[in-house]
Amino acid sequence: MGMLLSDALAVQRLPERQKKLARSGRKVYLGHETRTGWSGYLPFYLFQCPNCLRLAKDYPHSYPENQYLACPECGAKVSFVRFWIRVNEFFSFIRFLFRLRLRFTK
Ligand SMILES: [Zn+2]
């Protein structure tokens, strides 16, 4: 493993303001980027790895319901499920409870 040298340099050169935000636990959007072999662009985020505490840069992996960022240094995964997916889940759960209640009152 190990972060791409270009990514490591990019992280070093980021403004202190963005690094501070990442150290406070935020995932800081850095912009969309592409890599050799990719057909499109993906959003990259700066975050602090909860395991090795290094600042890392990565893009969300996997499907929207269980996306994560991975630390390129130690491989630790950081959950990255977007807010609207959580909202959707919440309302599906409410609908589920409602249907359950209808069944019991019949
Ligand atoms: Zn790490």
Side-chain angles (χ1 to χ4, degrees):
M1 246 171 273
M3 197 167 359
L4 280 176
L5 186 61
S6 54
D7 278 348
L9 286 175
V11 167
Q12 273 181 30
R13 287 177 189 147
L14 286 170
E16 205 49 47
R17 178 179 49 85
Q18 285 184 316
K19 294 182 188 174
K20 216 176 261 177
L21 275 177
R23 286 194 197 99
S24 75
R26 299 269 286 276
K27 286 139 187 140
V28 185
Y29 172 71
L30 297 175
H32 276 62
E33 292 181 23
T34 188
R35 294 282 185 270
T36 11
W38 292 10
S39 57
Y41 286 75
L42 285 174
F44 275 76
Y45 293 86
L46 176 73
F47 62 100
Q48 184 172 39
C49 173
N51 183 47
C52 69
L53 302 181
R54 264 181 274 230
L55 287 182
K57 176 183 169 181
D58 196 26
Y59 57 91
H61 302 266
S62 188
Y63 296 102
E65 318 81 70
N66 46 22
Q67 273 187 329
Y68 61 87
L69 303 170
C71 172
E73 292 300 335
C74 73
K77 290 176 181 177
V78 182
S79 172
F80 186 74
V81 176
R82 290 194 183 95
F83 178 69
W84 63 267
I85 290 170
R86 293 253 190 258
V87 170
N88 259 355
E89 273 175 7
F90 174 75
F91 282 109
S92 311
F93 185 60
I94 297 291
R95 273 198 300 275
F96 167 75
L97 289 180
F98 190 67
R99 252 182 279 136
L100 214 61
R101 213 196 59 144
L102 285 180
R103 207 171 299 151
F104 280 121
T105 51
K106 254 177 214 165

